[in-house]
Amino acid sequence: MSTSTFRRSRVRAAAAAAVTLALGCTALAALPGTAGAAAAGGLVVQYRTSASGASADQSEPWLKVRNTGSAGVPLSDVKVRYYFKGDSASAGYRFACSWAVKGCANITGTFRTLPNPTATADRYVEIGFTAGAGSLAPGADTGDMQLRFHRADWQPLRQSDDYSFGAERNTYGDWAKITAQLGSVTAWGEAPGGDGPTDPTDPPTDPPADGPTLFDDFDYTGHTDPRIAANGWSVRSNSGGPGVPGAVWAPENVTFSGQGGDSVMNLETSTAGTGASTEQTEILTKSTKFRNGTYAARVKFSDAPRSGPDGDHLVQTFFTINDLKAPMADDYAEYDFEYLPNGGWGEPSNILYTTSWDTYRPDPWEAVNQHSEARKSYAGWHDLVVTIDNSEITYYVDGQPFGTHGAAYLPERPMSINFNQWLIDLAGQASTAPRSYDQQVDYVLHVKDQVLSPAQVSALVSGYRAAGTTFQDTVPAV
């Protein structure tokens, strides 16, 4: 059961300000900006710093990306790289966004090592954008991105020996020692020491051959198929939240059918405008044995009802969760994909949330979480991936980063894996005409303690299907 039922005010801003973490970086040295460098690629990176000392408690690179081309550029296709020299081989760093015109929730930071280290750079932080950042029109820029990073132990970091650092850059100007990639093409700047746009540290496409794994293709005949329980699933029938008071959880509305050679699970939710007429659906693992690693599912979200009038405040989900033992318990965990096709929780129209929960209190409402969102339609099939390691939680939608959340939200206890579809309230549609909505699921995958790229997830699922494997669970009980 998702705790989203309590999110009428969704107190997320405080949590997002609490900590946004990643692994790390330090700062950099100067070179005059070359305004014409790779300008044919259509992008220019401008830079300034608000921490100009040779050493500092934290480095503060502030960036703008400008589109100098003649066509719009989706920011989700843009990667900006800031190069630095680590203070030591073992030094760890933390990344954060203080403020951004495009919204800090739409900006990601990933730290990597260079294959050809130099005297001024052996690492870089790659700044990316979620779909929620939108596009840059010709001549437009991102506006301020006030970024910062610091050592994990909060010791002062050294900036004076770093490739991309410019101590004198106290106002924005073109800066060719920070690169920008548009897809796989370097569109601006020059990397240190011959390190080109290809990132050899990216994980390979081939999936790992080992690792405890849960895979289910949802190849069942119906909700009473005994293999559902034998394979560790429970189709919910008990009462309780989330959702409309008086609603029931109807197991008979979880059905299965063949589509394009694959078996697909359908979750149907229906209402006639009253709590007593509302039927919601949920399927979840009986075991709470899933913690770090990779979670993936292919899910079809729906904007329009299968039948009847549209407009209900619907939630369509894929999430992991454990139980809240007490209000504000520090060992609670939940990681959500939640699509609201008709808005809700104060949103006027469709929005996709990813949310990482540390804890909450239902009454009076208090929440500690971090979220990312995109306000647009996600009707149709989507590949959803979330990875959890010992430092961060990263969400992907259709192979693209959607949000990265910090170490403060990592799970302390194992969780279950869940899908459900339910109604926040009945305020979105006043009609008493019957209507029903569908959410479909193609497969679910979990690989314990391994962070897979979306490409590796796709390859692993393709391998299972090529081998005729419809179910496997080698994840040990805890």
Side-chain angles (χ1 to χ4, degrees):
M1 171 178 59
S2 171
T3 58
S4 303
T5 184
F6 303 115
R7 299 179 195 174
R8 287 177 288 274
S9 60
R10 296 186 79 88
V11 188
R12 287 174 158 142
V19 195
T20 306
L21 298 153
L23 281 168
C25 174
T26 173
L28 319 127
L31 230 221
T34 317
L43 296 177
V44 168
V45 177
Q46 296 189 322
Y47 161 77
R48 62 161 291 193
T49 181
S50 58
S52 59
S55 63
D57 290 336
Q58 56 185 353
S59 184
E60 299 184 14
W62 293 11
L63 306 177
K64 292 181 182 179
V65 180
R66 187 172 78 252
N67 179 7
T68 60
S70 58
V73 173
L75 279 169
S76 59
D77 292 341
V78 175
K79 302 293 184 186
V80 177
R81 291 180 176 179
Y82 181 88
Y83 301 90
F84 64 94
K85 179 78 171 179
D87 287 350
S88 69
S90 61
Y93 298 83
R94 299 291 183 261
F95 168 83
C97 172
S98 297
W99 185 81
V101 172
K102 291 292 185 180
C104 283
N106 293 317
I107 297 173
T108 64
T110 304
F111 291 84
R112 305 187 187 278
T113 58
L114 282 170
N116 303 304
T118 71
T120 59
D122 59 8
R123 316 183 196 187
Y124 62 90
V125 57
E126 183 172 86
I127 308 304
F129 301 88
T130 71
S135 297
L136 285 182
D141 65 48
T142 59
D144 281 340
M145 294 185 288
Q146 297 180 8
L147 311 179
R148 57 188 170 88
F149 54 87
H150 59 85
R151 283 183 51 155
D153 57 8
W154 278 107
Q155 293 299 306
L157 54 81
R158 185 171 58 252
Q159 302 192 101
S160 56
D161 61 351
D162 292 338
Y163 180 82
S164 295
F165 175 63
E168 76 284 5
R169 309 292 296 198
N170 55 16
T171 59
Y172 277 113
D174 297 354
W175 193 238
K177 299 191 79 171
I178 298 173
T179 62
Q181 288 179 242
L182 184 56
S184 61
V185 176
T186 300
W188 172 260
E190 183 176 352
D195 287 289
T198 301
D199 180 13
T201 65
D202 285 344
T205 300
D206 292 340
D210 56 357
T213 302
L214 167 69
F215 172 72
D216 201 329
D217 213 16
F218 294 116
D219 186 15
Y220 302 109
T221 59
H223 76 282
T224 59
D225 190 326
R227 294 176 300 155
I228 293 178
N231 289 346
W233 295 98
S234 174
V235 182
R236 185 175 176 184
S237 60
N238 60 297
S239 61
V244 174
V248 298
W249 296 89
E252 65 274 13
N253 291 343
V254 177
T255 57
F256 303 87
S257 63
Q259 290 188 20
D262 294 328
S263 178
V264 172
M265 176 172 66
N266 190 78
L267 283 69
E268 178 187 348
T269 291
S270 60
T271 187
T274 65
S277 67
T278 301
E279 296 183 349
Q280 305 176 141
T281 44
E282 180 168 17
I283 185 169
L284 64 155
T285 60
K286 293 184 288 185
S287 175
T288 53
K289 62 178 182 178
F290 309 98
R291 190 173 173 181
N292 286 14
T294 299
Y295 299 83
R298 184 164 173 79
V299 177
K300 186 177 184 182
F301 297 128
S302 300
D303 279 354
R306 180 206 295 179
S307 61
D310 196 2
D312 288 292
H313 290 157
L314 191 70
V315 186
Q316 301 172 338
T317 76
F318 166 44
F319 64 101
T320 68
I321 193 172
N322 60 30
D323 58 316
L324 183 73
K325 293 182 175 180
M328 303 302 287
D330 61 6
D331 62 351
Y332 177 74
E334 180 182 353
Y335 306 96
D336 300 331
F337 288 92
E338 295 173 308
Y339 182 54
L340 282 59
N342 295 313
W345 295 319
E347 292 289 334
S349 60
N350 36 30
I351 184 169
L352 177 64
Y353 286 110
T354 61
T355 309
S356 301
W357 287 79
D358 181 43
T359 191
Y360 74 99
R361 176 173 56 208
D363 190 19
W365 175 246
E366 182 178 359
V368 182
N369 60 30
Q370 185 177 355
H371 80 286
S372 304
E373 79 277 339
R375 292 174 175 84
K376 67 174 189 176
S377 171
Y378 278 87
W381 285 104
H382 296 282
D383 295 306
L384 310 179
V385 176
V386 57
T387 64
I388 304 172
D389 59 19
N390 290 321
S391 62
E392 63 188 13
I393 305 104
T394 303
Y395 296 86
Y396 300 87
V397 177
D398 297 330
Q400 298 299 312
F402 189 89
T404 299
H405 300 164
Y409 307 96
L410 294 173
E412 290 87 1
R413 288 190 292 125
M415 302 167 287
S416 61
I417 297 175
N418 306 51
F419 299 89
N420 64 19
Q421 185 180 218
W422 51 280
L423 292 177
I424 299 171
D425 53 42
L426 296 171
Q429 172 56 264
S431 172
T432 57
R435 58 266 192 190
S436 63
Y437 298 84
D438 290 335
Q439 173 188 342
Q440 296 183 334
V441 183
D442 185 13
Y443 71 83
V444 68
L445 173 75
H446 171 69
V447 181
K448 176 179 169 61
D449 295 332
Q450 292 188 2
V451 171
L452 274 62
S453 69
Q456 288 178 303
V457 167
S458 179
L460 191 56
V461 171
S462 295
Y464 280 125
R465 288 179 164 168
T469 302
T470 59
F471 177 79
Q472 174 179 301
D473 186 3
T474 59
V475 179
V478 294

